[in-house]
Every structure is written in C-alpha cells, then in structure tokens.
Amino acid sequence: MPAPTSHPPKALLHVPTLGVNDGGPPRSVSALADSMYRNGDDVTLLYGKSEDQGEVSVAPGMTMCPYSRTSGPLSACMSTALGDKDVDLAHDSGIWGPSNLAFYRYAQQRKLPLVISPRGMLEPWAMNHHKWKKKIAWFAYQRKILHAAAAFHATANSEAEQLRKLGFRQPIAVLPNGVNLPTLAASHHEDTTTRTLLFLSRVHVKKGIPLLLEAWSHLRPQNWKLVIAGNDDGGHAAEVVQQIKQLKLEEVAQVVGPLENEAKEAAFLNADAFVLPTYSENFGIVVAEAMSYGLPVLTTTGAPWQMLRDEDCGWWVEPVTPEIEKALQQLFACERTRRITMGLKARELVQTHFAWPSIGERMRAFYEHLLFKTSKPDFLYP
C-alpha cells in the first residue's frame, strides 16, 4: 500500500462496456473517470470493447485500456490490456457478469483494494429478475466477491441500506451520479398546441412502460402525446408496440428507438415533461438529465428521487397503475407556467447537487480515506 504522502491515488476503474446502447453504467462510469481526470487525478479506464455499436466518448488524453470480450479468458485479456500499469486501487461497476468476476481475480492477483459499485444490481427487483440464475451465481462466486470488497460505492441511501440489509459492513460512499448542465435557449419553453411527455431509457421490462400506457389509456388526455425513446432490451419494444395497438393509442404514443447526441438533446428540448415509471433504479441518471433540461419529472419510488416531491419539481409515486394515473392527471392539469416553474426548480437542484467535478473530488477523497486512512468523509453511510 502506498504511503500517504507518496502520490495521489492511482485509480483503475472498470466497466464491462462503453456501448451507447448498454444502459447507464457506460455513461456514468466514463463520466466519473472523465471528471476525476479533468480534476488532475491519475485515472485509468478499463472496459470491454463494443464490437457491434458505438461507444460513449471520454476526455481526450485519459488512459483507456480496452479489452476484447471474445478472444479468450477475460482475466488474461484484462492483464494484456493493462500491461504493467501501476495502480493503487481497483473500482468495479456492476456485479454478476463474467467480466466482473475476471476483474475481481485481477485485483486479487495484484493485491489491490477493491471498491464495488453494485449499480442497482442488488436491489430486490433486480435480485428477483432471473432469480434462480442469480441464486446459483450468488453461492458460486458473487457472495465471496462482495465480502472480499474493501468498500462499496452506492448512488443513493436506499442502495446503501440494501447493502447493510444483505449483511455487508464495509465502508459505503454514497455519491450520486452527475450530469453536465446543458445550455438552454430562451425559446426552450415556447408554448405549442401539442405537448410532449418523454420517456427515454432502455425499453426493458424493469422500466414499467406497460404501467404508463395503461394509465394513459384511462385518461386519454387532449393535446398530449407520449414519446418512448430508447434501445430495445430483451425484445420488450415489440411488447410495448403491441400494447399501444391493443389500447388504441397509436395516434398519441410513438416508439422511436434509441436516440444519441443531437437527437437525444432535441428530444429533451422538445419535451414538456419527463416520465420514468420504473420498478427499480439505483439512481436513474436519466432523471437528473431531464431535470437539467428544465423538465418536471414523474417517476416512482423504485428510484431514489424523493426530492422531486419534496422540492415541488415533479411526482414520486408507487410503481402501480393507479398512482401513476393520479400523477399523470395532475401533470396534465398543470398550466404551462406551473410546469416551467417546476422545471426550473429541477434544473437548480441538478446544478447544486449533481455537478460532476464535485462528485469526482469526493470520490478521490473516498479513495484517499481507504488507502491512507485520512479523515472520514461526511458522505459515508453509517
């Protein structure tokens, strides 16, 4: 272990993929590495190559170590990618996957302290999804890996609480994901005849889209349309399209597929409100993104966004159709000025609490606490 005065922590961050269609971790982990690098930290990002899709971008100059996920044992591929890179600490994102197991073995071989960000994969809904496969993996290797971790990173208190319920007593840093605040034109909230409610996330059974469609079909609001954007995960998009037809919502509900870069920005800019009717999220970075665009947000208690309700900038309800319906009814009844006020409050909250540079600084302080026994950060979970 390096001496406290030798150098700042040399951190090795791992994410199984940087694919643009692979959910939140590629964006949040790369953005964390990016923010730490821009803060002057020594960061290396290890990731599995995405052969069939584009990858999220990172800061020019940051050390990137891609490995192939198809050319042999992953531990060997990781070692080859990293070479003799000198690091002090290993930080993994996600669990269950073969690359997470390989990264644990790499850290063990190098005798590196291991930090794990479960990324919502230990939440009750996630644990029950493909339950028997996970139960086998739990007893085969995953429980051992989690107990061997030096510490955890959770993105919300609810995720840290779940780690404690599962019996893990290691230090837990509670640090949210961040967003980069976009610049908004003065005409961003111009009034239009038809208003848009935007869903933008993976089109996956976990996201609760059928609940939203059922609630919408009961209300059938005038002058509102629903845009469902995101990559198809597990063939769920076909099920969503079929439900739209069954409920006769074809004229007001669109499934538009994945959106990136300018198209994604345009979707946020053209929306009047945002919805994520999810069953389970460790954070839900898309909620913070929507807030950064000045949109009121409707999400569920499956995501740790109580501040939407507490700060009067959205709705936070149980992931059941009647509660989502009530919240939608309130949203549709809002005057334009009321929606704008709520959205501006949301944007101010993002600017205060979810700026990447400060999150990167706090993560470095967490690493220093683990490595050098520096003073206990105030964001550690009890």
Side-chain angles (χ1 to χ4, degrees):
M1 181 179 293
T5 57
S6 60
H7 55 70
K10 297 177 181 178
L12 172 63
L13 276 65
H14 170 251
V15 65
T17 170
L18 287 180
V20 295
N21 294 329
D22 289 329
R27 291 173 173 79
S28 56
V29 177
S30 62
L32 173 63
D34 187 295
S35 67
M36 296 185 72
Y37 172 75
R38 292 176 187 273
N39 287 345
D41 295 322
D42 189 335
V43 177
T44 298
L45 184 59
L46 177 70
Y47 66 97
K49 293 179 184 176
S50 297
E51 309 288 354
D52 58 347
Q53 59 179 303
E55 296 177 338
V56 299
S57 59
V58 297
M62 187 170 66
T63 304
M64 306 287 290
C65 293
Y67 62 87
S68 173
R69 294 179 287 179
T70 58
S71 61
L74 287 176
S75 295
C77 293
M78 290 178 181
S79 296
T80 299
L82 288 163
D84 58 357
K85 178 70 180 176
D86 182 26
V87 294
D88 301 323
L89 175 144
H91 186 168
D92 199 11
S93 285
I95 60 173
W96 304 119
S99 63
N100 302 119
L101 175 58
F103 188 69
Y104 158 73
R105 288 172 174 165
Y106 175 84
Q108 289 288 100
Q109 291 166 1
R110 295 285 298 270
K111 295 182 170 55
L112 298 172
L114 177 64
V115 177
I116 296 177
S117 299
R119 299 288 171 186
M121 297 178 189
L122 289 172
E123 296 302 296
W125 189 96
M127 293 283 278
N128 284 316
H129 190 56
H130 301 309
K131 182 176 181 178
W132 289 107
K133 288 182 180 179
K134 288 176 179 173
K135 194 168 186 177
I136 293 169
W138 181 260
F139 288 106
Y141 62 87
Q142 192 59 70
R143 180 175 59 173
K144 176 183 176 181
I145 294 174
L146 293 167
H147 278 292
F152 294 101
H153 160 229
T155 52
N157 282 335
S158 57
E159 187 175 34
E161 181 181 354
Q162 178 66 7
L163 283 163
R164 291 286 185 251
K165 286 180 179 178
L166 291 171
F168 300 107
R169 294 291 172 256
Q170 297 99 314
I172 305 173
V174 180
L175 293 173
N177 293 323
V179 295
N180 296 310
L181 204 69
T183 300
L184 302 183
S187 60
H188 170 49
H189 287 293
E190 284 184 354
D191 200 11
T192 56
T193 302
T194 302
R195 295 165 180 78
T196 300
L197 180 62
L198 174 66
F199 167 97
L200 197 160
S201 188
R202 288 184 299 143
V203 180
H204 183 274
V205 63
K206 184 178 82 166
K207 303 298 179 175
I209 301 172
L211 301 176
L212 172 63
L213 292 173
E214 188 69 27
W216 191 290
S217 72
H218 296 163
L219 297 172
R220 298 188 180 271
Q222 292 186 346
N223 302 322
W224 277 88
K225 67 177 181 179
L226 174 64
V227 174
I228 299 171
N231 61 295
D232 182 16
D233 194 331
H236 189 52
E239 297 171 356
V240 170
V241 170
Q242 183 61 30
Q243 186 183 10
I244 289 172
K245 291 178 180 177
Q246 290 175 345
L247 296 174
K248 296 180 170 43
L249 297 176
E250 297 98 320
E251 293 186 4
V252 294
Q254 298 174 281
V255 178
V256 299
L259 302 176
E260 293 297 330
N261 303 321
E262 292 85 357
K264 179 179 178 180
E265 181 178 35
F268 280 123
L269 291 172
N270 291 327
D272 295 275
F274 185 83
V275 63
L276 184 69
T278 183
Y279 286 107
S280 178
E281 304 287 332
N282 67 300
F283 183 72
I285 193 169
V286 71
V287 170
E289 288 180 327
M291 292 168 68
S292 76
Y293 279 91
L295 298 177
V297 173
L298 191 168
T299 192
T300 71
T301 53
W305 284 98
Q306 183 175 339
M307 70 164 54
L308 292 170
R309 183 186 66 192
D310 294 348
E311 301 295 335
D312 191 30
C313 55
W315 293 265
W316 191 64
V317 300
E318 293 292 324
V320 293
T321 297
E323 293 302 312
I324 292 172
E325 183 178 337
K326 289 178 186 176
L328 284 175
Q329 194 167 31
Q330 292 172 17
L331 167 62
F332 297 148
C334 280
E335 296 289 339
R336 172 175 173 265
T337 53
R338 167 73 172 145
R339 291 196 310 273
I340 292 174
T341 299
M342 294 174 74
L344 292 176
K345 286 182 182 179
R347 184 172 161 90
E348 289 171 4
L349 285 170
V350 168
Q351 191 168 15
T352 302
H353 298 288
F354 305 111
W356 270 122
S358 64
I359 294 169
E361 289 173 0
R362 283 178 279 169
M363 187 62 78
R364 179 184 60 199
F366 182 50
Y367 294 163
E368 290 175 340
H369 173 68
L370 294 175
L371 290 169
F372 309 138
K373 308 305 178 187
T374 56
S375 59
K376 184 177 179 181
D378 61 6
F379 50 79
L380 290 189
Y381 192 78

